[in-house]
């Protein structure tokens, strides 16, 4: 046992008895987050940055306090934090706001074969529009990035290296500081999709060495509808706004507009205000446990699960087989069984796992599978959730005549 606190009472949804192993898709919410949003909506809600009246000032203060909370959590400056609708919008803002401006025919974008579509498709779109070419860092047999291949592919024509901070399908945590160092030596900007990393491991953006970072609140105990785009100030200054509208301008004439200061120029329209308050409360909750403790808990559950799963007849584990540089996401298949059937049988045992391509279709092709069933852990999971999964998998194996 790890001494990690039992937090389940904070998560009302767990009273249903579900063994929830799909936090990689979206996490559950503790009462502290639900209550903070409820309290704010009841007592302090108004639109932000608009009114001179007290409620609007209170709402603006709460919204900007959330920005400061995110900045402190990341070791960043207040103005480097842009609120978006989620990691997908953050990555599109970078690709279209920075990429369209700076990429030219002959330039190269280097990403990886294990990216979530959100850090791949926007770059494909921008490559087509700019004439830049797209290349991908392959993975090794155990699901890690092939860093020798990365160095071979890296040259001075590479203008962007876009890499996941943690794979949502394999759990792999690439060595981003090292990758960023090499990329910067070659003169490239570094974009990190941290949608799975920030919820699970302490991230200091200066130590990570990225230029841009993207993540979503809903995977870190916060509400849906809000995410973060962090950029180093010099990188944000190179970026054009991806959306135009209210709030993001300094002045507008009938034919022209000038931009508000950063970060507001990247936040067109009414922002997710109640959601920012929820994200603030989520970060307070995570910090009260401690990100180091959270990562250790994920790793403990991962180690236990890797061991117990490897005893189940017919189960194949995709991705790293040990816990080194790896988070709490495990993709499995069972011989002769479709991942969706596995997930359905697990559901009958009260276990919620995701089955499918996990928005990483190119990776599934690399692995030679159509889909996997994915277990993903978070602060409320315990070894009992793993036991229930193993019981369900053994039952599935019997049903399908495996082993
Ligand atoms: N990147 C990774 C690694 C993810 O796991 C996800 C969500 O599954 C995303 C990006 C997209 O996040 P969102 O759907 O919140 O925009």
């Amino acid at each position: 046992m790890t001494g990690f606190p039992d937090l389940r009472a904070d998560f009302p949804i767990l009273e249903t008895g579900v063994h929830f192993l799909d936090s990689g898709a979206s996490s559950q919410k503790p009462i502290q987050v639900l209550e903070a949003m409820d309290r704010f909506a009841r007592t302090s809600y108004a639109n932000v940055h608009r009114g001179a009246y007290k409620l609007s000032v209170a709402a603006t203060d709460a919204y900007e306090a959330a920005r400061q909370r995110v900045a402190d959590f990341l070791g960043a400056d207040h103005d480097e934090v842009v609120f978006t609708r989620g990691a997908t919008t953050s990555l599109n803002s970078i690709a279209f706001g920075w990429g369209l401006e700076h990429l030219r025919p002959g330039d190269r974008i280097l990403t990886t074969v294990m990216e979530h579509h959100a850090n791949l498709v926007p770059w494909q779109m921008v490559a087509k529009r700019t004439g830049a070419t797209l290349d991908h860092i392959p993975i090794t047999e155990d699901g890690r990035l092939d860093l020798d291949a990365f160095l071979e592919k890296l040259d001075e024509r590479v203008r962007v290296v876009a890499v996941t901070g943690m794979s949502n399908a394999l759990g792999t945590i690439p060595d981003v500081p090292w990758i960023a160092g090499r990329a910067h030596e070659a003169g490239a900007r570094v974009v990190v999709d941290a949608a799975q990393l920030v919820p699970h491991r302490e991230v200091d953006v200066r130590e990570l060495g990225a230029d841009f970072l993207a993540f979503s609140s809903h995977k870190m105990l916060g509400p849906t509808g809000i995410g973060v785009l962090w950029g180093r100030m010099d990188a944000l200054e190179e970026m054009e706004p991806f959306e135009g509208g209210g709030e993001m301008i300094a002045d507008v004439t009938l034919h022209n507009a000038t931009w508000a200061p950063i970060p507001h120029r990247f936040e067109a329209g009414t922002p997710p205000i109640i959601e920012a308050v929820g994200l603030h409360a989520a970060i307070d909750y995570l910090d009260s446990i401690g990100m180091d403790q959270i990562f250790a808990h994920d790793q403990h559950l991962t180690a236990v699960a890797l061991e117990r799963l490897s005893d189940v007849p017919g189960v194949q584990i995709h991705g790293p087989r040990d816990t080194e540089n790896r988070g709490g996401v495990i993709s499995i298949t069972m011989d002769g069984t479709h991942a969706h059937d596995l997930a359905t049988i697990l559901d009958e045992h009260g276990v919620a796992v995701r089955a499918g391509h996990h928005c990483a279709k190119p990776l599934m092709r690399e692995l030679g599978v159509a889909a996997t069933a994915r277990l993903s852990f978070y602060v409320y999971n315990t070894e009992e959730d793993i036991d229930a999964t193993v019981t369900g998998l053994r039952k599935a194996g019997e049903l399908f005549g495996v082993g």
Side-chain angles (χ1 to χ4, degrees):
M1 291 294 101
T2 59
F4 192 78
D6 185 346
L7 304 168
R8 282 173 299 180
D10 289 342
F11 293 83
I13 209 162
L14 300 182
E15 287 165 19
T16 61
V18 64
H19 295 283
F20 189 75
L21 291 175
D22 196 21
S23 301
S26 199
S27 70
Q28 298 300 344
K29 322 300 172 201
I31 33 183
Q32 288 82 346
V33 168
L34 303 175
E35 283 176 3
M37 297 201 303
D38 184 67
R39 198 163 47 241
F40 173 76
R42 286 170 192 271
T43 62
S44 313
Y45 182 74
N47 211 332
V48 295
H49 300 135
R50 291 189 191 188
Y53 56 93
K54 288 189 192 63
L55 269 185
S56 178
V57 172
T60 304
D61 286 351
Y63 182 69
E64 291 303 325
R67 194 191 307 280
Q68 186 61 50
R69 189 69 185 88
V70 172
D72 293 343
F73 190 58
L74 299 175
D77 292 337
H78 178 270
D79 290 350
E80 294 174 327
V81 173
V82 178
F83 284 129
T84 65
R85 285 198 301 279
T88 301
T89 312
S90 302
L91 291 163
N92 276 277
S93 301
I94 301 163
F96 286 90
W98 187 91
L100 274 189
E101 284 298 304
H102 296 279
L103 295 171
R104 303 275 172 270
D107 287 346
R108 295 176 61 220
I109 302 163
L110 194 50
T111 176
T112 84
V113 300
M114 64 175 166
E115 293 311 306
H116 186 283
H117 297 162
N119 200 26
L120 180 63
V121 179
W123 295 113
Q124 294 173 347
M125 295 160 90
V126 166
K128 281 183 189 139
R129 292 209 204 167
T130 58
T133 56
L134 194 59
D135 198 359
H136 312 89
I137 308 168
I139 51 170
T140 60
E141 209 154 341
D142 62 345
R144 305 203 181 261
L145 272 192
D146 183 339
L147 296 177
D148 292 333
F150 164 59
L151 290 181
E152 277 163 29
K153 286 173 184 282
L154 188 65
D155 62 28
E156 71 291 345
R157 289 172 305 149
V158 174
R159 303 291 313 284
V160 191
V161 175
V163 62
T164 185
M166 173 176 147
S167 161
N168 66 307
L170 301 178
T172 313
I173 299 180
D175 187 350
V176 172
W178 186 86
I179 293 169
R182 303 292 84 71
H184 283 150
E185 280 164 17
R189 285 291 192 192
V190 177
V191 177
V192 176
D193 173 359
Q196 298 290 339
L197 184 68
V198 164
H200 294 273
R201 196 176 201 182
E202 184 176 358
V203 169
D204 180 309
V205 286
R206 312 283 171 217
E207 282 172 18
L208 203 66
D211 298 293
F212 294 108
L213 185 92
F215 59 94
S216 295
S217 144
H218 69 91
K219 294 185 200 283
M220 53 191 289
L221 311 182
T224 51
I226 185 167
V228 170
L229 158 58
W230 169 84
R232 272 211 341 243
M233 192 43 81
D234 62 304
L236 289 175
E237 278 164 356
E238 285 183 11
M239 200 168 99
E240 279 291 297
F242 167 53
E243 288 183 321
E247 302 292 315
M248 52 78 71
I249 51 86
D251 193 16
V252 184
T253 63
L254 281 177
H255 290 285
N256 228 329
T258 51
W259 309 146
I262 295 169
H264 305 292
R265 77 175 58 160
F266 302 120
E267 295 181 358
T270 297
I273 305 164
I274 301 177
E275 291 80 359
V277 171
L279 174 58
H280 188 156
I283 294 175
D284 283 347
Y285 187 92
L286 291 170
D287 256 354
S288 73
I289 306 164
M291 292 309 292
D292 284 350
Q293 280 248 66
I294 290 172
F295 188 63
H297 180 63
D298 283 343
Q299 287 223 306
H300 169 72
L301 292 178
T302 304
V304 170
L306 286 172
E307 193 189 318
R308 293 189 193 164
L309 288 169
S310 59
D311 282 346
V312 181
V315 165
Q316 312 295 331
I317 298 169
H318 302 273
R321 300 296 295 267
D322 55 43
T323 54
E324 201 190 334
N325 295 325
R326 171 199 220 302
V329 170
I330 304 179
S331 257
I332 58 169
T333 49
M334 185 180 270
D335 297 340
T337 311
H338 199 283
H340 286 100
D341 294 333
L342 271 189
T344 304
I345 291 172
L346 287 174
D347 186 43
E348 282 163 13
H349 287 78
V351 178
V353 300
R354 178 137 305 228
H357 52 68
H358 316 297
C359 298
K361 279 194 149 197
L363 175 64
M364 296 295 120
R365 284 196 194 96
E366 287 291 312
L367 298 175
V369 296
T372 70
R374 182 186 71 179
L375 290 59
S376 50
F377 306 120
Y378 212 7
V379 293
Y380 31 73
N381 290 121
T382 66
E383 289 185 33
E384 279 171 33
D385 298 323
I386 298 169
D387 290 338
T389 309
V390 168
T391 304
L393 287 172
R394 287 188 186 280
K395 200 83 201 159
E398 283 166 24
L399 269 172
F400 293 111
V402 179

